[in-house]
Amino acid sequence: DGGITQSPKYLFRKEGQNVTLSCEQNLNHDAMYWYRQDPGQGLRLIYYSQIVNDFQKGDIAEGYSVSREKKESFPLTVTSAQKNPTAFYLCASTDRFNSPLHFGNGTRLTVT
Amino acid sequence: DAKTTQPPSMDCAEGRAANLPCNHSTISGNEYVYWYRQIHSQGPQYIIHGLKNNETNEMASLIITEDRKSSTLILPHATLRDTAVYYCIVSSYSGNTPLVFGKGTRLSVIA
């Protein structure tokens, strides 16, 4: 079945460590997105990529970095510069022409 | 900022129709109305979208007013599994414009 896989589902890190969240899709979608969700809040856009080797900052990119070396992969690194990294992270993808967003089931990151 | 306004929460009795309203008074001519829902601790799920005509699929119906300033998502026979946060979003249908999610409406279906 086609879809988006985010791993791991739960991730725990110590403050000051960088951590990379995985997002893989086999939908052959061009565009991929990372959103952050805090309790009781909507989704906020971190980064997005419309094509391989290109990406743009979203509304809350500070303290995060991404890469898009392959069409199917869009990993997100939460750096030590991110002041409040504990959150639920969601990856999504879409075709550039005509399809709704498909989401993964998220990674819940806890930094202590 | 999200370009839509939704009530923060609603209740619906199981088996009844759930009607979720959304105001989008600043919608422009090339923008569609999308609805997603998010069940607790999962990724959002696409439900339906429309431009100006009413739309129906196996999950729901979307009713858009003639002036396109508001819409209603209808779940015809709500079940407990429909308990979720429902997001109404307006966006051009290019696939290049990231969707902006507000806080949505928390629908509780009650037995």
Side-chain angles (χ1 to χ4, degrees), chain B residues 36-99:
Chain B
Y36 286 75
R37 74 179 183 184
Q38 185 177 22
I39 295 170
H40 183 62
S41 294
Q42 296 182 20
Q45 174 192 24
Y46 164 79
I47 302 173
I48 198 167
H49 73 278
L51 183 63
K52 54 184 177 181
N53 296 324
N54 298 338
E55 302 287 345
T56 295
N57 62 21
E58 64 278 4
M59 290 182 69
S61 295
L62 173 60
I63 309 298
I64 303 174
T65 58
E66 193 168 342
D67 63 8
R68 301 211 320 126
K69 292 185 177 182
S70 65
S71 60
T72 301
L73 179 75
I74 301 172
L75 308 178
H77 305 287
T79 70
L80 298 178
R81 287 177 294 181
D82 292 320
T83 293
V85 177
Y86 287 77
Y87 298 99
C88 169
I89 302 161
V90 296
S91 181
S92 59
Y93 200 35
S94 68
N96 296 328
T97 305
L99 296 185

Side-chain angles (χ1 to χ4, degrees), chain A residues 58-109:
Chain A
D59 300 319
I60 56 165
E62 186 176 349
Y64 299 97
S65 65
V66 293
S67 63
R68 187 84 187 278
E69 297 176 1
K70 299 186 296 183
K71 187 175 185 178
E72 59 270 23
S73 179
F74 191 40
L76 173 75
T77 297
V78 184
T79 75
S80 56
Q82 168 49 235
K83 301 220 184 314
N84 296 296
T86 294
F88 188 45
Y89 291 88
L90 287 157
C91 179
S93 71
T94 187
D95 193 298
R96 295 181 76 181
F97 310 103
N98 297 339
S99 76
L101 279 180
H102 291 251
F103 280 88
N105 275 329
T107 291
R108 191 167 299 278
L109 173 65

Side-chain angles (χ1 to χ4, degrees), chain A:
Chain A
D1 287 338
I4 298 181
T5 301
Q6 289 188 245
S7 60
K9 188 171 178 64
Y10 299 95
L11 191 54
F12 299 88
R13 281 293 183 270
K14 294 291 188 184
E15 193 173 330
Q17 294 178 336
N18 292 354
V19 59
T20 297
L21 281 60
S22 169
C23 178
E24 303 278 331
Q25 55 101 356
N26 60 3
L27 299 164
N28 200 34
H29 285 170
D30 287 302
M32 297 186 73
Y33 306 81
W34 276 105
Y35 289 89
R36 168 183 172 139
Q37 187 173 36
D38 293 287
Q41 304 297 311
L43 282 66
R44 292 185 291 168
L45 183 66
I46 305 173
Y47 268 98
Y48 65 103
S49 168
Q50 297 176 358
I51 196 168
V52 174
N53 292 322
D54 186 48
F55 47 83
Q56 288 77 43
K57 293 182 179 180
D59 300 319
I60 56 165
E62 186 176 349
Y64 299 97
S65 65
V66 293
S67 63
R68 187 84 187 278
E69 297 176 1
K70 299 186 296 183
K71 187 175 185 178
E72 59 270 23
S73 179
F74 191 40
L76 173 75
T77 297
V78 184
T79 75
S80 56
Q82 168 49 235
K83 301 220 184 314
N84 296 296
T86 294
F88 188 45
Y89 291 88
L90 287 157
C91 179
S93 71
T94 187
D95 193 298
R96 295 181 76 181
F97 310 103
N98 297 339
S99 76
L101 279 180
H102 291 251
F103 280 88
N105 275 329
T107 291
R108 191 167 299 278
L109 173 65
T110 302
V111 177
T112 57

